[in-house]
Amino acid sequence: KAGVTQTPRYLIKTRGQQVTLSCSPISGHRSVSWYQQTPGQGLQFLFEYFSETQRNKGNFPGRFSGRQFSNSRSEMNVSTLELGDSALYLCASRGTGSPSETQYFGPGTRLLVL
Amino acid sequence: AQSVTQPDIHITVSEGASLELRCNYSYGATPYLFWYVQSPGQGLQLLLKYFSGDTLVQGIKGFEAEFKRSQSSFNLRKPSVHWSDAAEYFCAVGGDPGGGADGLTFGKGTHLIIQP
């Protein structure tokens, strides 16, 4: 079974621009979560989508948004980029969202904001 | 709010020696606890998890962890480390793995260095 895939793997943007990252979950998985990883703040939860609906949201400004499609693929968007948005963005998927399920992480998209 | 503390930022261990990585958590209810490993340039791989039952859990790659409610700890151990174990290790807590009000809460990580 193919793992979680994220595209692109690397991205360079300038301040003020917007960016869209994509995540394809493991086949059959309906839950997709997004995390931001930075050296200073570590790993922080952004949001989770399940069956095309945002189920949970972390403490991030409204510039960070996401969506999920009917095939469970998910995108996250960051508008009006700031230097502090430079980070590794990780996507994770799991099946039906049951508490007993393991989250499987993708390799991440490394975003650099100049 | 839930939180995770990994007191050791870096740990250096000789190859073949035993390892223990510390993790303390704060959570208002029964926690779900996890250890993940991250190699350079890679995503996170689950080593093991604890939901309930036996407080000593076995994971992949020869790792184990013990849940101690009285100490709010979930320390990771390995009897004999290999050079390939060099990586960043993260402890995480959640009431609902991957879900719940705040998703998973991660510690800041422990960087493991293996000396030959």
Side-chain angles (χ1 to χ4, degrees), chain A residues 16 28-29 34 40 45 49 53 63 70 76 90:
Chain A
H29 284 190
W34 289 89
F45 172 71
Y49 284 85
T53 301
R63 300 186 297 107
S70 58
M76 68 163 280
L90 293 164

Side-chain angles (χ1 to χ4, degrees), chain B residues 4-59:
Chain B
V4 177
T5 301
Q6 293 181 247
D8 304 304
I9 298 173
H10 301 276
I11 279 189
T12 300
V13 177
S14 297
E15 190 170 15
S18 64
L19 169 71
E20 182 169 29
L21 302 183
R22 296 182 291 164
C23 171
N24 293 97
Y25 68 90
S26 173
Y27 190 74
T30 300
Y32 294 93
L33 294 160
F34 308 82
W35 275 99
Y36 283 89
V37 61
Q38 185 178 36
S39 298
Q42 302 297 313
L44 299 171
Q45 181 182 24
L46 181 72
L47 288 174
L48 46 78
K49 59 187 178 184
Y50 172 78
F51 295 155
S52 64
D54 192 349
T55 56
L56 185 63
V57 293
Q58 303 296 320

Side-chain angles (χ1 to χ4, degrees), chain A residues 37 45 56 94 99-100 102-103 106, chain B residues 38 49 51 97-98 100 102 104:
Chain A
Q37 185 177 24
F45 172 71
N56 299 295
R94 58 188 177 129
S100 63
T102 295
Q103 279 198 93
Chain B
Q38 185 178 36
K49 59 187 178 184
F51 295 155
D102 302 310
L104 283 177

